[in-house]
Amino acid sequence: MLFMSLREGTMFLSVIVFSSLSVSKALGQTEPVVDSSYIAAVYEHNVILNPDPRISLSRPAALQHMQRNLDIYEQQAARAAQQGVQILVFPEDGIQGFNFSRSSIFNYLETIPDPQQESWNPCTEPGKYNNTEVLQRLSCMARRYNLYLVANMADLQPCPLKTDPSSSCPSDGRWQFNTNVVFSSDGLLVGRYHKNNLYFEVAFDTPPQPEIITFDTPFAGRFGLIICFDILFYEPTIHLVTKGVRQLIFPTAWINQLPLLDAIQFQHALSLGANVTLLAANLRNDQRIMTGSGIYTPFSVKSHHAQKGDPVEGRLLVARVPVLDPLLAVQSVTDGSTAKDSGFCHKESRLDFPAPETSSSVPPSSSASSTSTFISSIMYDPFTFVLLEETEGKVNVCNGTFCCHLQYRLIPQGDSKELYALGAFGGTHTVNGRFAVQVCALVRCAGLDTSSCGQQIEEAESKMDFQLEGRFGSRYVYPSVLASKFVLEQPKHFETAPDGTVTMKHSNMTGGLVTACLYGRMYHLDNE
């Protein structure tokens, strides 16, 4: 049985991880003992915005605006400390907001020293640098409440103007970076990371070289830093994982994009697929469809996703988190053979699935369904779909040479009439970002006509037992099962075979199925 709070969207599952090879090291990790754990918190912040961010403010006015958001941070840090929190994460853009121009953000900027080059405690050494009021307040917050604190702010770094046309220095002689800062529990600045993958952020620069930034803690070892859009790219996210970092800090200002990239959906998928802990703090802004934060490990979830009509105040999430073994991350990315079970599937699975068919043995014309394929868009990508016309069966669909396979049993609830389809896409996504993907997506269509398949929809009544499979050209495949009203479900089984075949099984759903997805990232093709 799964124990889930629909209000908080939480679930805690024991996980048994085993290798699909007869002789191999385990690539996941069984649930650690309680002693090897820590208490983490993320805060989803309803940011107080500058009503006209394109108009430049004076430094005192910019500070006054930022202090209003920092007052809320202070309240949440106090709440977190009362619950024994050891590390607290705030979201991207949570101090100053967003939609600035390069010039209008100038008086929000502070020059952040590199903690790898010098030691500085802004709280105890406030006079060392000018115009560092925000850094000082964050430092004192960490020190006052005796916790590690991660926040996101805007950094100003001077750069020498050069006559060389290849110089990356902007014409105004300064770099402006979207930046994570980390303070230890005594207020020392211990981490500074500049966002590598900007998302329509004209106020900021991309750093000359991608940064791989980590910091160490006495209670949980090493953490890595990423920001928002970074999560979809090899640099820095997967680079960190290949270095053995299994705990990632993720401030974000994520705009939700169903049916594949809702915030909590992909946060959970990254945690499962990369076998890491993810501490994700999002903004809350209903006008921009921003919500969805959580604390994720390969075997537990605590998440929050606001829905229509919910109160607009922020949300503090607190959870005890296991410390993951960093050695297992290196093994899992060098050997693509993994298998993970929830520990419940053997007793309670409703389907005794036979050995799966592979893409090489099932040509596109041999679909078990008589339905012809059709093209419909998901997030501007032309997916090839096939409808699920029966209450149970097998269907196959191919997009070019990439094929997806589904064995399913649909369990309608009441008199509801809902249309489901299996879609496949292999290619380069080019709208609002460019990156190569292979995706198998089982979706509830928004209506009863095929043109609605792939459109955004939040609710469903029909449940489904299924096995979803594809043969991927990358070992980086991220699984997700999203149920009605933004409830995450933990796949009962997720396995990657040595030939690239990825299989996800699930049954006994607690809610109606909105999306089941295998999201493969072809990082090596991004620049082609």
Side-chain angles (χ1 to χ4, degrees), residues 211-468:
E211 298 179 352
I212 305 301
I213 302 298
T214 63
F215 64 95
D216 293 315
T217 66
F219 51 84
R222 183 156 295 177
F223 289 83
L225 293 168
I226 62 176
I227 302 172
C228 201
F229 205 37
D230 285 335
I231 200 172
L232 286 172
F233 295 91
Y234 188 91
E235 300 288 357
T237 305
I238 302 305
H239 193 157
L240 284 164
V241 177
T242 64
K243 296 298 184 183
V245 180
R246 297 194 65 204
Q247 301 171 131
L248 301 180
I249 305 289
F250 182 56
T252 184
W254 192 272
I255 300 172
N256 288 308
Q257 292 184 294
L258 288 167
L260 303 182
L261 291 180
D262 183 78
I264 63 171
Q265 177 188 20
F266 197 75
Q267 290 164 12
H268 188 213
L270 189 283
S271 174
L272 290 175
N275 201 22
V276 297
T277 290
L278 185 71
L279 307 184
N282 199 1
L283 288 182
R284 171 72 187 278
N285 186 292
D286 290 351
Q287 289 183 332
R288 292 168 176 82
I289 325 175
M290 291 177 176
T291 183
S293 304
I295 298 171
Y296 309 86
T297 81
F299 29 75
S300 64
V301 175
K302 186 163 189 176
S303 65
H304 165 69
H305 195 295
Q307 301 181 52
K308 294 176 182 177
D310 284 357
V312 297
E313 66 262 19
R315 179 69 68 93
L316 182 71
L317 298 177
V318 179
R320 181 170 288 278
V321 183
V323 178
L324 302 184
D325 185 347
L327 296 178
L328 297 179
V330 178
Q331 295 169 359
S332 64
V333 297
T334 55
D335 178 345
S337 173
T338 65
K340 302 177 185 178
D341 266 290
S342 71
F344 297 100
C345 61
H346 301 299
K347 294 181 179 179
E348 299 181 349
S349 176
R350 297 185 183 183
L351 291 179
D352 184 15
F353 290 114
E357 299 163 301
T358 65
S359 55
S360 60
S361 63
V362 185
S365 61
S366 68
S367 171
S369 170
S370 60
T371 303
S372 59
T373 61
F374 61 95
I375 303 296
S376 191
S377 176
I378 296 183
M379 294 167 49
Y380 306 101
D381 295 327
F383 276 65
T384 305
F385 280 100
V386 62
L387 292 177
L388 277 56
E389 293 189 313
E390 308 294 336
T391 55
E392 62 180 285
K394 300 179 183 178
V395 292
N396 310 292
V397 65
C398 297
N399 182 261
T401 59
F402 176 67
C403 298
C404 302
H405 316 290
L406 175 71
Q407 181 180 351
Y408 71 95
R409 178 178 297 148
L410 184 64
I411 309 167
Q413 305 294 305
D415 298 327
S416 63
K417 292 183 179 180
E418 296 176 325
L419 186 67
Y420 284 86
L422 174 66
F425 176 74
T428 300
H429 175 84
T430 58
V431 178
N432 298 336
R434 181 181 178 87
F435 45 90
V437 295
Q438 289 179 331
V439 182
C440 293
L442 170 60
V443 299
R444 188 210 153 180
C445 304
L448 295 179
D449 57 285
T450 57
S451 64
S452 71
C453 298
Q455 295 179 5
Q456 298 192 37
I457 190 165
E458 300 177 3
E459 298 184 12
E461 295 186 18
S462 301
K463 300 179 181 180
M464 195 180 300
D465 297 342
F466 63 86
Q467 173 178 302
L468 179 62

Side-chain angles (χ1 to χ4, degrees), residues 47-189:
V47 58
I48 299 170
L49 295 170
N50 179 335
D52 197 345
R54 299 287 174 168
I55 303 299
S56 296
L57 297 181
S58 65
R59 176 63 177 176
L63 273 175
Q64 185 178 26
H65 172 213
M66 291 189 286
Q67 294 293 0
R68 294 176 65 194
N69 284 302
L70 289 168
D71 288 344
I72 298 173
Y73 280 22
E74 186 92 33
Q75 296 167 5
Q76 298 305 319
R79 289 185 59 205
Q82 290 172 354
Q83 300 177 64
V85 166
Q86 294 160 282
I87 185 166
L88 171 60
V89 182
F90 290 108
E92 180 187 25
D93 297 335
I95 295 174
Q96 80 278 351
F98 41 76
N99 285 345
F100 293 91
S101 69
R102 182 173 183 84
S103 59
S104 68
I105 202 173
F106 180 76
N107 280 320
Y108 286 85
L109 304 171
E110 295 189 0
T111 298
I112 307 169
D114 184 356
Q116 296 182 352
Q117 301 296 323
E118 62 177 293
S119 178
W120 180 43
N121 189 316
C123 189
T124 60
E125 304 171 278
K128 188 172 182 178
Y129 295 101
N130 296 325
N131 299 317
T132 56
E133 292 90 342
V134 172
L135 287 164
Q136 292 171 37
R137 184 151 188 202
L138 292 170
S139 169
C140 291
M141 211 179 293
R143 185 178 178 89
R144 181 176 300 115
Y145 300 109
N146 191 35
L147 46 73
Y148 274 67
L149 187 149
V150 183
N152 178 270
M153 59 185 292
D155 183 21
L156 166 67
Q157 294 293 327
C159 63
L161 284 169
K162 297 179 180 178
T163 56
D164 182 358
S166 64
S167 171
S168 62
C169 185
S171 59
D172 55 17
R174 64 177 186 267
W175 280 306
Q176 299 179 179
F177 295 125
N178 180 334
T179 307
N180 285 344
V181 289
V182 186
F183 298 92
S184 67
S185 55
D186 63 359
L188 186 69
L189 179 66

